[in-house]
Amino acid sequence: MRPYISAFRMSLSEQVTYRFGFFFARLRGLFVLVTLFFVWSAVSMKTGFFAGYSREELMTYVFGAHILRSLVFGSQSRRIASEIHDGTFSLFLVRPVNHFLFYYARELSERLLLGFFAVLEVGIIVVFFDSTFLFPSHLSVFFFVFLSVFLSHMLYYCMSYGMSMLAFWSREAMGPRFLFEWILEFLSGAFFPVSIVATNVALVFLFFALPFIYLVFMPLTIYLERVPGNQLFLSFVWQGMWIAIVAGLLRALWRRGLRAYTGEGI
Amino acid sequence: MKTYWNIYTVFVQNGVSYLAQYRKDAWWNVAVNVLWVGMLFLIVEVIFSQTATIVGWKKEEVYLLTILWTIVSEAFVMIFGGNTQQIPHMITDGDLDIFLTKPANTLFLVSTRFFLFRAFYRLLADFGILAWIVWRFDVGVSLPHAVLAFFLVVCGIIVHFSMTLLANTLSFWFLRIDNVNDTLVSLHTLGRYPIDVFPKTLKILLLTALPMAFSGYIPVAVLTGRWPWYAVGYAVCFTAAFFCLAVRFWSFALKRYSSASS
């Protein structure tokens, strides 16, 4: 366990070493939040409703999405692709550590730090612009939200780790990765509740069958208490199933990838 | 002037040679770009599926705004994108020394040496999409308005360059500010929306200190007649002043450069 705790600590200090850079990174997130806040405020201003969401629910969704983007969408596993390309990945093969868990420790520290700052930023925006942030009516909802967020965090990490492993076979892993991140963020509901576009049965089925909505949309829908009890259980089953599928694929990719790895640059 | 033209021709030729080595990558990039623009349009569709206007802006106007903003971004990436973002690395690694010893303007060399030719293909695709929007929504645009809008698009590119140069020049004082470029990308997205959705203070900021409105809003506002023609005067004067400020700040910072490795 000790190497992973060290990796967690190292990643944490790495994040805060270059404070000016960290400040700019947070500023970037803040710009996205402010933009979405005003755009969705403008569209719901006339009637107080938008696509079945009250103005307060919509604003809470925007704020919640900002926090979840920080807690779920990580960037640490991006390094894996460049390490495979320049050969530094070989160092991990001779160390007595599990590569997946080592990077997970790094990712977790980054997510927790950024998640903390995201909560602060939301607090500032809510106070500064005198907006509303709804809280659930039952305390038990927090437990379900926590569980759902944890599962989405795991699911994203597995998917992201798998994308980086493409570097075993291609030097152009960043292009597909960029596309993957962009599509994923879009379909996960990070910009708006995806139920707005799921206007017919086929689209609803497509959205609910694919793993994307379980990253942002589902935890926030649970938070807003818009998921009935029986569907709540089903959503957890679906999230767990996707984690199992992606983890299985990861195992296969890892084995094949190691065979294809040439240790270029050693 | 002829010397600089010759240098720039070599830079463009290098860009073509680079592209020739990664042809598949270029086509992949065009496909990703079209998909990306498609997703931006999908957001517009989502919003307008529930309402007829946003702060007085109609759907076709927001489409125009989105595509003109994309064109400004793409043109900036093609000419300056791969260069200005490298300034922090060049300063921390000491690579800037090489350019200081060349018998040409350092800023010119630093900001134009990589011509990203694949962005040119993406730009062509974006112009195709613009033509489709004009045809699809039957946007009635007079020739003088179209010429003015094109001129303002050029101003938008210069303002975008100046903003990026100002931010990256900070790396003469602060080490490791790589995130500043990601922040600028996010800030730049503010220009993709009608700035009337923002409160007055932010709106003023977007037209002055953080001039993101130049990337899409101002050309479309002139094109659709929301801004009178004489407002173009403000845009031109601001662009010239902002560009001069960025260049002077660069010169001021360059005098304090002490080299890092060589």
Side-chain angles (χ1 to χ4, degrees), chain A residues 137-205:
Chain A
S137 53
H138 304 287
L139 270 177
S140 59
V141 174
F142 283 106
F143 168 74
F144 294 122
V145 171
F146 176 79
L147 184 61
S148 185
V149 171
F150 176 71
L151 291 174
S152 17
H153 165 78
M154 290 303 297
L155 178 59
Y156 179 84
Y157 179 68
C158 291
M159 288 162 87
S160 173
Y161 191 87
M163 278 309 290
S164 294
M165 274 204 265
L166 288 181
F168 279 125
W169 294 276
S170 167
R171 291 198 74 83
E172 298 294 338
M174 285 317 279
R177 200 193 160 91
F178 169 75
L179 190 63
F180 157 79
E181 284 178 1
W182 214 84
I183 291 177
L184 190 132
E185 208 168 341
F186 188 86
L187 294 178
S188 66
F191 299 124
F192 56 85
V194 284
S195 54
I196 298 175
V197 281
T199 46
N200 61 45
V201 180
L203 276 174
V204 169
F205 179 77

Side-chain angles (χ1 to χ4, degrees), chain B residues 30-133:
Chain B
V30 174
V32 169
N33 179 257
V34 171
L35 196 69
W36 182 63
V37 174
M39 284 194 176
L40 294 183
F41 283 2
L42 191 60
I43 294 177
V44 177
E45 277 299 321
V46 166
I47 294 171
F48 282 96
S49 66
Q50 309 288 330
T51 178
T53 57
I54 310 174
V55 286
W57 283 64
K58 287 183 275 183
K59 185 157 86 172
E60 56 268 32
E61 291 172 335
V62 177
Y63 269 129
L64 267 180
L65 176 63
T66 308
I67 197 64
L68 283 185
W69 174 85
T70 310
I71 286 172
V72 168
S73 312
E74 211 60 82
F76 167 78
V77 168
M78 180 176 76
I79 305 165
F80 308 110
N83 304 299
T84 43
Q85 295 191 354
Q86 291 301 316
I87 291 173
H89 295 288
M90 289 165 68
I91 293 167
T92 47
D93 299 347
D95 294 342
L96 191 63
D97 302 8
I98 303 163
F99 298 97
L100 290 169
T101 55
K102 305 268 183 207
N105 183 285
T106 309
L107 180 58
F108 172 77
L109 295 176
V110 164
S111 54
T112 58
R113 67 200 167 113
F114 289 125
F115 183 88
L116 204 62
F117 210 83
R118 67 182 178 205
F120 174 72
Y121 284 140
R122 297 200 298 249
L123 200 57
L124 286 183
D126 292 338
F127 273 110
I129 296 169
L130 173 66
W132 176 79
I133 291 169

